[in-house]
Amino acid sequence: ATVNYTSQFVGGVDLKGDSATDGRWLAVYGGNGIVLLWDVRGDTAPSRLAVPGVALEDLAFSADGSHLYGVGNEHILTWRCDG
């Protein structure tokens, strides 16, 4: 199941995130210019995706989980999820 959430956490950090429908990928953005992308099937550290100059308002995976999209500041960012 897809989990799309926005939550307030300690320190007032507004986290945005999404998971791929196949359950493989999890992406989280905390407003610090970096999206963390985990391949939850492995035990490796998350990939760090740079978000220069864009305050993301939402993250979403494509229906097949092959791409991650970020939206903010009138921009749409796209990353290919390989592995």
Side-chain angles (χ1 to χ4, degrees), residues 1-6 16-21 25-27 58-61:
T2 297
V3 176
N4 193 339
Y5 59 88
T6 300
K16 312 241 184 298
D18 195 21
S19 65
T21 56
W25 301 105
L26 173 66
D58 201 5
L59 289 173
F61 283 94

Side-chain angles (χ1 to χ4, degrees), residues 6-21:
T6 300
S7 300
Q8 290 290 332
F9 285 89
V10 175
V13 176
D14 186 19
L15 295 179
K16 312 241 184 298
D18 195 21
S19 65
T21 56

Side-chain angles (χ1 to χ4, degrees), residues 27-72:
V28 175
Y29 173 73
N32 59 353
I34 300 290
V35 171
L36 297 176
L37 178 65
W38 281 273
D39 180 347
V40 297
R41 297 187 311 183
D43 59 356
T44 59
S47 297
R48 297 170 59 90
L49 309 174
V51 185
V54 177
L56 292 181
E57 297 168 16
D58 201 5
L59 289 173
F61 283 94
S62 60
D64 65 1
S66 65
H67 290 82
L68 174 64
Y69 302 101
V71 178

